[in-house]
């Protein structure tokens, strides 16, 4: 009981006495499988309440890192702490303070949604008198309250995933780990899953650590670690990452591009003459549009601001595009969903 | 920026689960086994088909060959063996849910939780044992058809024997299942082990006057010591005449002496402990 109280406080003001305590921290974390160095010398910190993403292609070492942080794999080198507990020395304490959503489904689909949650509540030592209230609360957070008495075998892939997120939050963890939570789901369902994840952060104050290989999803994170071949190649907020690979470009299609180019250059802007437009390279392009039009002082019939995307960032740091893998991964997700539903 | 690695909650020791938490886990794992069992009605029904076939085909078939002695016949003799067969088969196959859980991911949900593997194994074994005991006890409903008399104390004694037998066999099943990755593997191993063990356990024939090789095999077979107590308590309540008791003997003789029922139950209990330990080590290695 005392442990549960500590746990509740732990998640609400994790280390209130020491504001510097990270929700997750890793220093020189490594994992070797035989000859393969699956994770090499990874260091990072996640602040309480942050949404932190590991972005990388299939085989980059994302799941291996998560498994070490969740005490499912012992690190080969380095150290890590979650919610203030050392993953190697205090695995039981770590497990009490984390919620887990794995890449593959781990629900019992012969049980109802509520039964799955009740089972989890016992496994994670939620006090008996709080179980009903917590089950109602998490089901409401993922909008599955009206399906609580239905067998999970009748759930769609997206509903099952959202139920898993609800279940992982049942015991008010300090950190919620999600390994590719949206893989194999259609775009609308992915958006729903993201709403659920962010709602958990806002309403339950949980820290989110997730992995993904979808570029567009990493945008939801406050900070992104790009991981490739087991190592972090870049780590920053989405905007800063985009900045780091190049500035914004603003294309202006004007009544007289030659004049516009001359005037902008004279005003000190860095300008290129494009095909039917002048292109200005600048930081924070959107904020500069009005000023640029003012300097050009010409009728403008087209404006296009281009900011480097995470695709550009990924290409810049790894020399490859992550894109190629989408088709294959989505397919394998669907095959998995099919298998899971077959029994 | 420096990273405080082990600050946080003022806690030095790891938070191992308390006894109360462990017992609650055992109860929940047990309850899940029962919920799942109750939901698979076809499995419940189909698990009765085989023993009922054995009881009527074998029972009536053999009754024509073996004479009825003062009202006691082979059907009545074989009945406890068939009840045991139901319990043993259900118990062993209830362990298959571990292989299911592994294939469908739910095992992971259990293994990563902050509970001990021991609580999971004990809950699983008690769940399987309960189901097997229920199945075996339902078989008792056929007793009037066969002409076997039941009394309330007898039913309780039977349930006690069934529970011990079921727990041992479920633990055996879990010990095997926790070391097996695929469904087909479990089925093959079990068919290879289960049926020879059942047929050579004395469930279907008396254990005295056998050829030496069969005597040796039946005495080595652990199931023998689980089946005999069940037959013992049922047959004791049927008021057999001395002639009938001589024709349909109970008891296992070992090195010239007939084992008392307490010794048999002791052997089965010891086996339960051994299999539980094996189940636990199998579960500990599972990732
Ligand atoms: N248990 C294991 N044994 C051997 N190699 C492994 C094991 N788990 C993962 N790997 C390898 O480690 C690398 C990283 O895998 P993983 O962490 O699963 O990548 P991701 O989750 O980013 O797709 C891959 O090359 C994978 O084959
Ligand atoms: Mg992975």
């Amino acid at each position: 009981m005392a442990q549960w109280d500590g746990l509740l406080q732990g998640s609400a003001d994790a280390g209130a006495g020491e504001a510097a305590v990270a929700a997750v921290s890793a220093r020189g974390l490594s994992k070797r499988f035989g000859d393969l160095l699956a994770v090499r010398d990874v260091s990072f910190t996640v602040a309480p309440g942050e949404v932190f993403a590991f972005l990388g292609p299939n085989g980059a070492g994302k799941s291996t890192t998560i498994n070490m942080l969740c005490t499912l794999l012992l690190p080969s080198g380095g150290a890590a702490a979650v919610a203030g507990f050392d993953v190697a020395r205090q695995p039981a304490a770590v497990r009490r303070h984390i919620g887990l959503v794995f890449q593959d489904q781990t629900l019992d689909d012969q049980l109802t949604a509520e039964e799955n949650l009740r089972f989890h509540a016992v496994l994670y030592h939620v006090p008996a008198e709080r179980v009903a209230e917590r089950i109602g609360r998490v089901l409401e957070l993922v909008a599955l309250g009206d399906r609580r008495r239905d067998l999970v075998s009748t759930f769609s892939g997206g509903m099952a995933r959202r139920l898993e997120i609800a279940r992982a939050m049942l015991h008010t963890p300090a950190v919620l780990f999600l390994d590719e939570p949206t893989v194999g789901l259609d775009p609308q369902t992915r958006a729903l899953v993201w709403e659920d994840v962010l709602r958990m952060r806002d309403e339950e104050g949980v820290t989110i650590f997730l992995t993904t290989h979808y570029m567009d999803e990493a945008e939801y994170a406050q900070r992104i670690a790009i991981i490739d071949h087991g190592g972090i190649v870049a780590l920053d907020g989405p905007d800063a990452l985009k900045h780091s690979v190049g500035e914004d470009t603003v294309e202006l299609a004007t009544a007289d591009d030659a004049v516009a180019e001359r005037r902008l250059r004279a005003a000190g802007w860095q300008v290129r003459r494009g095909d039917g437009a002048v292109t200005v390279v600048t930081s924070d392009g959107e904020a500069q549009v009005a000023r640029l039009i003012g300097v050009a002082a010409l009728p403008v019939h087209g404006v296009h601001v281009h900011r480097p995307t995470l695709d550009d960032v990924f290409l810049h740091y790894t020399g490859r595009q992550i894109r190629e893998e989408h088709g294959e991964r989505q397919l394998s997700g669907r095959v998995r969903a099919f298998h899971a539903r077959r029994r | 920026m420096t990273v405080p690695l082990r600050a946080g909650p003022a806690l030095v020791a790891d938070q191992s689960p308390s006894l109360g938490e462990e017992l609650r886990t055992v109860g929940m794992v047990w309850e899940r086994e029962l919920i799942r069992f109750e939901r698979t009605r076809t499995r419940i029904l189909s698990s009765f088909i085989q023993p009922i076939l054995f009881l009527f085909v074998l029972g009536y078939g053999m009754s024509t060959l073996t004479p009825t002695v003062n009202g006691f016949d082979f059907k009545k003799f074989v009945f406890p063996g068939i009840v045991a067969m139901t319990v043993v088969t259900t118990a062993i196959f209830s362990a298959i849910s571990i292989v299911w859980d592994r294939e469908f991911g739910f095992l992971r949900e259990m293994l990563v939780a902050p509970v001990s593997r021991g609580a999971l194994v004990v809950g699983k074994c008690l769940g399987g044992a309960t189901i097997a005991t229920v199945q075996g006890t339902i078989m008792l409903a056929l007793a009037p058809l066969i002409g076997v008399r039941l009394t309330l104390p007898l039913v309780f004694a039977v349930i006690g024997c069934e529970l011990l037998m079921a727990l041992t066999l479920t633990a055996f099943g879990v010990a095997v299942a926790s070391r097996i990755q695929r469904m087909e593997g479990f089925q093959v191993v079990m068919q290879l082990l289960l049926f020879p063990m059942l047929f050579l356990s004395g469930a279907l024939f008396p254990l005295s006057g056998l050829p030496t090789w069969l005597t040796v095999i039946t005495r080595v077979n652990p199931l023998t010591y689980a089946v005999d107590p069940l037959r013992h308590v049922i047959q004791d309540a049927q008021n057999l005449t001395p002639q009938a008791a001589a024709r349909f003997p109970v008891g296992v003789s070992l090195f010239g002496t007939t084992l008392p029922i307490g010794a048999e139950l002791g052997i089965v209990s010891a086996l339960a402990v051994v299999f539980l330990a094996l189940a636990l080590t199998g579960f500990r290695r599972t990732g």
Side-chain angles (χ1 to χ4, degrees), chain A residues 33 36 38 57-65 103 179-180 329:
Chain A
F33 294 115
L36 177 78
N58 195 7
K62 303 185 297 294
S63 296
T64 305
T65 306
Q103 204 168 329
D179 195 3
E180 309 227 16
R329 288 304 292 268

Side-chain angles (χ1 to χ4, degrees), chain A residues 25 27 72 81 84 86 89-90 92-93 95-97 102 106 108 110 115 118 120 123-126 167, chain B residues 3 5-7 11-12 14-15 17 21 24 28 31-32 36 39 105-106 108-109 111-112 114-115:
Chain A
S25 61
R27 245 194 324 211
L72 302 178
D86 185 280
R89 274 178 232 134
Q90 299 163 294
R95 286 187 193 193
R96 279 174 194 261
H97 291 83
F102 293 110
T106 64
D108 182 345
Q110 310 266 78
E115 285 163 349
R118 208 151 55 75
H120 184 91
L123 250 46
Y124 283 80
H125 319 306
V126 178
R167 182 180 66 178
Chain B
V3 178
L5 270 181
R6 260 173 308 114
L11 212 141
V12 187
D14 204 7
Q15 294 175 320
E21 289 170 339
R24 205 171 152 218
M28 193 68 227
E31 187 186 338
R32 169 174 176 257
R36 285 174 60 101
R39 278 203 186 128
F106 191 75
R108 208 145 193 232
E109 153 80 356
L111 294 183
V112 303
V115 296

Side-chain angles (χ1 to χ4, degrees), chain B residues 31-287:
Chain B
E31 187 186 338
R32 169 174 176 257
E33 294 294 306
L34 263 63
I35 293 175
R36 285 174 60 101
F37 173 71
E38 186 263 327
R39 278 203 186 128
T40 48
R41 298 241 160 69
T42 50
R43 202 180 95 199
I44 303 179
L45 288 178
S46 67
S47 65
F48 283 122
I49 291 175
Q50 196 180 346
I52 288 175
L53 267 177
F54 265 99
L55 180 59
F56 285 95
V57 175
L58 198 70
Y60 281 89
M62 296 299 284
S63 289
T64 61
L65 286 177
T66 48
T68 305
V69 182
N70 301 343
F72 197 83
D73 61 9
F74 185 75
K75 289 196 299 292
K76 294 179 186 170
F77 170 81
V78 89
F79 180 70
I82 300 293
V83 172
M85 190 176 201
T86 312
V87 173
V88 169
T89 314
T90 313
I92 285 199
F93 278 97
S94 73
I96 209 171
S97 64
I98 290 180
V99 190
W100 269 122
D101 286 346
R102 189 195 305 283
E103 280 202 6
F104 290 94
F106 191 75
L107 190 63
R108 208 145 193 232
E109 153 80 356
M110 292 190 270
L111 294 183
V112 303
V115 296
S116 73
R117 301 271 159 109
L120 300 175
V121 168
V122 170
K124 199 104 201 170
C125 290
L126 288 179
T130 307
I131 291 166
T133 302
V134 167
Q135 295 277 83
T137 307
I138 291 175
M139 282 297 287
L140 292 182
L142 294 175
L145 245 68
I146 304 295
V148 171
R149 263 192 306 275
L150 292 180
T151 59
L152 201 58
L154 173 58
V155 171
F156 282 123
V158 167
I159 289 177
C161 292
E162 285 176 337
L163 259 179
L164 182 60
M165 181 192 309
L167 183 63
T168 310
L169 270 297
T170 310
F172 173 71
V174 171
V176 174
S178 61
R179 290 168 168 81
I180 283 180
Q181 302 295 324
R182 307 234 131 260
M183 195 68 72
E184 300 80 34
F186 185 82
Q187 248 136 7
V188 169
V189 169
M190 281 312 164
Q191 301 291 357
L192 283 177
L193 282 174
L194 180 60
F195 287 98
M197 273 171 71
L198 268 174
F199 281 113
L200 299 170
S201 68
L204 305 177
F205 50 80
L207 285 167
S208 53
L210 299 172
T212 313
W213 64 271
L214 197 49
T215 305
V216 171
I217 292 180
T218 50
R219 268 46 171 195
V220 171
N221 183 355
L223 261 190
T224 301
Y225 306 98
V227 173
D228 192 63
L230 192 66
R231 170 161 292 139
H232 214 122
V233 296
I234 292 182
Q235 210 152 305
D236 273 0
Q238 307 306 313
N239 304 323
L240 267 68
T241 61
Q243 294 96 317
R247 190 72 184 79
F248 298 102
V250 294
V252 183
S253 61
L254 206 59
F255 308 117
T257 52
T258 303
L259 286 181
I261 192 165
E264 292 177 338
L265 294 176
I267 291 174
V268 181
S269 307
L271 284 170
V273 172
V274 170
F275 290 142
L276 271 172
L278 286 174
L280 190 58
T281 53
F283 235 68
R284 284 237 169 86
R285 289 192 320 198
T286 292

Side-chain angles (χ1 to χ4, degrees), chain A residues 202-214:
Chain A
D202 294 340
E203 301 203 9
E204 300 268 300
V206 69
T207 306
I208 312 277
F209 182 105
L210 64 92
T211 71
T212 182
H213 66 274
Y214 293 126

Side-chain angles (χ1 to χ4, degrees), chain A:
Chain A
M1 193 60 69
Q3 281 160 344
W4 170 259
D5 291 339
L7 192 157
L8 277 179
Q9 281 151 16
S11 66
D13 44 62
E18 296 173 69
V21 172
V24 183
S25 61
R27 245 194 324 211
L29 200 60
S30 303
K31 182 68 193 181
R32 177 178 287 284
F33 294 115
D35 285 342
L36 177 78
L37 199 51
V39 174
R40 59 185 78 201
D41 199 19
V42 160
S43 300
F44 60 88
T45 328
V46 182
E50 193 175 17
V51 179
F52 187 89
F54 251 37
L55 174 68
N58 195 7
K62 303 185 297 294
S63 296
T64 305
T65 306
I66 275 210
N67 286 344
M68 285 191 284
L69 295 175
C70 298
T71 77
L72 302 178
L73 269 181
L74 213 53
S76 317
V82 173
F85 301 102
D86 185 280
V87 296
R89 274 178 232 134
Q90 299 163 294
V94 169
R95 286 187 193 193
R96 279 174 194 261
H97 291 83
I98 60 175
L100 278 168
V101 178
F102 293 110
Q103 204 168 329
D104 297 310
Q105 191 186 303
T106 64
L107 292 164
D108 182 345
D109 70 359
Q110 310 266 78
L111 298 187
T112 64
E114 187 171 2
E115 285 163 349
N116 268 284
L117 296 177
R118 208 151 55 75
F119 191 88
H120 184 91
V122 171
L123 250 46
Y124 283 80
H125 319 306
V126 178
E129 67 276 11
R130 293 210 49 192
V131 172
E133 166 219 330
R134 281 302 295 168
I135 288 179
R137 165 83 175 151
V138 295
L139 281 175
E140 176 198 324
L141 281 170
V142 298
L144 285 174
D146 54 336
R147 300 295 301 262
R148 63 192 293 160
R149 292 193 213 293
D150 293 349
L151 290 182
V152 172
S153 56
T154 66
F155 280 25
S156 68
M159 283 162 64
R161 191 30 49 115
R162 283 156 52 214
L163 178 61
E164 287 190 293
I165 293 171
R167 182 180 66 178
M169 288 300 301
L170 195 63
H171 53 290
T172 59
V175 186
L176 176 60
F177 289 93
L178 305 113
D179 195 3
E180 309 227 16
T182 57
V183 75
L185 301 176
D186 62 72
Q188 273 137 314
T189 312
R190 280 165 58 190
L192 279 178
V193 167
W194 266 102
E195 277 176 31
D196 289 340
V197 169
L198 296 177
R199 195 175 306 123
M200 294 303 174
R201 195 266 317 262
D202 294 340
E203 301 203 9
E204 300 268 300
V206 69
T207 306
I208 312 277
F209 182 105
L210 64 92
T211 71
T212 182
H213 66 274
Y214 293 126
M215 291 290 170
D216 46 342
E217 292 197 338
E219 304 263 5
Y220 289 104
Q222 277 152 289
R223 282 190 311 139
I224 303 168
I226 296 184
I227 177 165
D228 194 32
H229 298 303
I232 293 180
V233 293
L235 197 173
D236 217 329
D239 288 329
L241 279 175
K242 291 172 195 166
H243 257 312
S244 71
V245 301
E247 301 210 85
D248 295 358
T249 53
V250 182
E251 279 180 20
L252 295 176
T254 62
D256 188 339
D257 289 348
V259 174
E261 183 186 357
R262 192 156 21 81
R263 288 182 184 162
L264 286 163
R265 224 185 269 287
W269 298 93
Q270 189 191 335
V271 187
R272 286 200 306 263
R273 180 77 181 277
D275 192 18
V278 283
T279 302
V280 183
V281 180
T282 172
S283 61
D284 203 6
E286 273 171 31
Q288 306 296 343
V289 169
R291 186 147 1 127
L292 292 174
I293 292 175
V295 171
L298 286 166
V300 172
H301 39 255
V303 178
H304 179 73
V305 180
H306 177 78
R307 167 158 292 188
T309 63
L310 283 175
D311 284 298
D312 300 323
V313 174
F314 194 80
L315 181 65
H316 176 85
Y317 284 106
T318 68
R320 281 178 294 113
Q321 294 221 310
I322 209 168
R323 274 274 153 80
E324 296 124 36
E325 316 204 23
H326 276 206
E328 184 231 326
R329 288 304 292 268
Q330 267 171 350
L331 183 65
S332 76
R334 240 179 267 131
V335 170
R336 224 185 348 263
F338 170 75
H339 279 298
R341 228 133 283 289
R342 216 174 29 149
R343 67 157 121 164

